[in-house]
Every structure is written in structure tokens, then in C-alpha cells.
Amino acid sequence: MQRFVVLCALFISFFAASVLAQSNSLDQYRLGSGDVVKITVYGQDDLSLETRLSDVGIINYPYLGEIKLVGLTLPELESYIYNGLKGDYLVEPSVSVSITDYRPFFINGEVKKPGGYPYQPGLTIDKAAALAGGYTERASKTKIFIVRDTEGSSTTISVDRSGIVLPGDIVTIEQSFF
């Protein structure tokens, strides 16, 4: 019985850690062109909006004017809007910002249907390849690369099949030698 309890505790802590890691990665997620953002101010319909970010990533928000959203995290945007509305316009605004549609990711190389696909939270290389029709018979299981934009510059990283894919990533599955 004690062994069962220990195994259950280990399982629960592992599951909680993975959920927390996913949550933390979304808190650190930076908005980019193509994302659809929903801004809600409780009780203030005229201050709530939903918009797809353009390449410029600037929106015109009531009372605050132009706000550049590209590169901001959701908590940063919430804080900016909260602080901008607090005082002059509202006493204690209740601001919520969410992403209703992420920008797509792209996958090319040794998959059956290369192209752009809608991002889904929790996406791994294997899941991305499945969306693209699966690996070809020549696909390498070890030569997998992601080109990721991080704070204005592109970085190429080598990953394994369990690597995490983020919105806007370009995944390349190389051909194996044998």
C-alpha cells in the first residue's frame, strides 16, 4: 500500500510539473504577427476587443492610443492596459488578455505534407509531423532543426522528436543517411 501511495505521489508531482512548465512557457510567450489577441475589461464593452496582429503589430486602443503588441508577453500587456486605464478612466479596471488563435508554425523536409499548420499548445515535433501527414521513409530521427525568432533575431536549434514547437517556428526534418 505504501508503495502505491509513493507511486501515486510521483505521478501527481510529474503531472503537476509538466502542467506548470506549459503554463510558464505561455506566460513567457511573446506576441507576434498573426496572433489573435482578445482584450477584455470587465464591465466595459467599449474597451474590449479582439484583433489579429499585423506585421507591424500595433493596435489603436481606446484612451491609450497606439500600443505595439509584438514582443510583449500577456502579463506585460495586461499590466500596461491596467496601468493606463487606472485612475483617469477607471478606479480598479479588471483587465484580461488572452490569445484566441496562435500564429501558425511551419514544417518542411521529410514529412508527407510540408506547409503551415495552426499551432496548438503542447505541440511536439512528433505531433507536428503527424499533422503534416507523418514522416517519410527517409526522415532522420536525429537531424531535426527549429528556426525560432527570439527577441528580433532568428536562432536555429537542434532538437529531438520530443522537442517543443512554438507558434511561428519553422521545423525542418532532414533526410537520414540510411
Side-chain angles (χ1 to χ4, degrees):
M1 181 68 172
Q2 184 178 5
R3 185 175 178 174
F4 176 74
V5 172
V6 169
L7 287 174
C8 286
L10 284 173
F11 176 76
I12 290 170
S13 65
F14 175 76
F15 180 74
S18 73
V19 168
L20 184 60
Q22 179 69 26
S23 171
N24 285 341
S25 69
L26 290 179
D27 282 347
Q28 298 306 313
Y29 175 72
R30 301 222 171 252
L31 296 170
S33 62
D35 288 332
V36 177
V37 178
K38 183 176 184 178
I39 301 170
T40 306
V41 181
Y42 181 73
Q44 303 293 322
D45 291 338
D46 57 328
L47 297 178
S48 299
L49 65 91
E50 186 170 344
T51 185
R52 181 174 299 276
L53 300 182
S54 67
D55 289 339
V56 178
I58 295 175
I59 64 166
N60 193 1
Y61 191 77
Y63 301 113
L64 302 180
E66 291 186 344
I67 304 173
K68 184 175 181 181
L69 302 185
V70 170
L72 294 178
T73 64
L74 296 182
E76 289 171 345
L77 180 56
E78 278 182 5
S79 177
Y80 181 85
I81 293 172
Y82 172 84
N83 290 326
L85 294 176
K86 185 178 179 184
D88 291 340
Y89 304 108
L90 300 170
V91 177
E92 278 295 320
S94 178
V95 179
S96 171
V97 179
S98 61
I99 299 172
T100 58
D101 192 18
Y102 292 91
R103 61 187 180 271
F105 74 94
F106 302 88
I107 185 164
N108 62 49
E110 296 300 316
V111 290
K112 293 181 181 169
K113 296 183 215 166
Y117 293 90
Y119 173 78
Q120 303 162 13
L123 195 63
T124 64
I125 296 294
D126 274 344
K127 291 176 184 176
L131 288 173
Y135 296 105
T136 66
E137 56 279 346
R138 294 182 176 213
S140 173
K141 305 299 185 216
T142 57
K143 292 192 280 185
I144 303 169
F145 302 95
I146 293 178
V147 176
R148 181 171 290 156
D149 284 337
T150 50
E151 301 188 26
S153 65
S154 292
T155 305
T156 302
I157 54 176
S158 178
V159 296
D160 63 13
R161 292 173 46 191
S162 64
I164 299 295
V165 177
L166 297 177
D169 280 356
I170 301 170
V171 178
T172 302
I173 311 293
E174 297 285 334
Q175 201 174 64
S176 68
F177 186 66
F178 289 102

